[in-house]
Amino acid sequence: MISISENAQKHFIKLLSQQAEGTHIRVFVVNPGTAKAECGVSYCPPDAVEADDIQLPFDGFSAMVDADSKGFLEDAEIDFTTDQMGSQLTLKAPNAKLRKVADDAPLFERVHYFLQAEVNPQLAGHGGECTLVEITDDGYAVLQFGGGCNGCAQIDVTVKDGIEKQLIELMAGEIVGVKDATEHERGDHSYY
């Protein structure tokens, strides 16, 4: 779940040696699954361990993860580096803002995840967004566009050459195309 580099482990052991016996570290996500998600690391004294915490044992300490943060910390990495500028602890959690879905999750969840993780960050640069409305029985993902995408002159290119092409490739045999359910109206919000 969480990879902690050897340097970071040594750093934690040094810090924990100055704490009460039995103190571990806690790795957590504040506002998990949102655009405001932030990861953190703190001390976790023995009386702060919850019954549903996940304990990840390392050599000399354990990392505690609360059940709510678990899915958002998949593939997380913690490192500790030292250079001429000083020392820095870094935590990378690629799934903190959006929980990764399993490969065998329902099709709707997998398409929704793809849109939120891959498509919307690109559309956000143009003030746009898209959401999955439904998946039809004949395999079409029906999308609703908003923000700067509403009225954009490039929407057909975005839908056909971008999103549809990627979805058909990623979910071959399950998705055959994309349909746009948006009533596109040009306006000040549109991106040209």
Side-chain angles (χ1 to χ4, degrees), residues 47 54 62 65 80 85 102 173:
D47 62 350
I54 296 132
S62 288
V65 176
F80 183 75
M85 304 297 283

Side-chain angles (χ1 to χ4, degrees), residues 136-184:
T136 63
D137 291 339
D138 55 351
Y140 283 88
V142 180
L143 307 180
Q144 179 77 43
F145 289 86
C149 291
N150 189 359
C152 175
Q154 295 297 311
I155 193 66
D156 290 338
V157 174
T158 300
V159 172
K160 294 295 178 190
D161 293 343
I163 300 169
E164 182 177 77
K165 187 176 179 181
Q166 291 177 59
L167 275 174
I168 290 171
E169 186 178 309
L170 285 170
M171 297 168 196
E174 294 180 282
I175 295 293
V176 298
V178 172
K179 292 183 179 179
D180 182 1
T182 312
E183 290 290 332
H184 290 281

Side-chain angles (χ1 to χ4, degrees), residues 7-135:
N7 284 343
Q9 289 183 47
K10 289 177 185 174
H11 178 68
F12 288 137
I13 289 169
K14 181 180 174 185
L15 291 174
L16 290 169
S17 71
Q18 301 164 20
Q19 300 300 311
E21 189 172 330
T23 300
H24 300 292
I25 65 164
R26 176 171 297 284
V27 184
F28 57 90
V29 181
V30 177
N31 300 315
T34 70
K36 296 178 180 179
E38 291 188 29
C39 301
V41 178
S42 66
Y43 293 118
C44 182
D47 62 350
V49 175
E50 301 290 333
D52 62 350
D53 279 348
I54 296 132
Q55 183 172 351
L56 305 173
F58 290 90
D59 192 19
F61 69 97
S62 288
M64 308 304 286
V65 176
D66 62 276
D68 290 341
S69 294
K70 178 185 175 191
F72 298 99
L73 288 171
E74 286 293 327
D75 304 323
E77 298 176 6
I78 300 175
D79 194 13
F80 183 75
T81 56
T82 304
D83 59 23
Q84 309 89 298
M85 304 297 283
S87 301
Q88 181 175 351
L89 185 68
T90 58
L91 198 158
K92 295 178 185 171
N95 298 303
K97 293 182 191 272
L98 184 66
R99 182 188 301 238
K100 189 174 182 181
V101 296
D103 291 339
D104 62 350
L107 182 59
F108 190 93
E109 288 181 27
R110 288 182 283 132
V111 172
H112 173 75
Y113 177 81
F114 168 76
L115 294 174
Q116 298 302 313
E118 301 294 329
V119 176
N120 277 341
Q122 294 175 36
L123 295 179
H126 304 281
E129 63 181 0
C130 81
T131 56
L132 178 62
V133 176
E134 69 172 314
I135 297 177

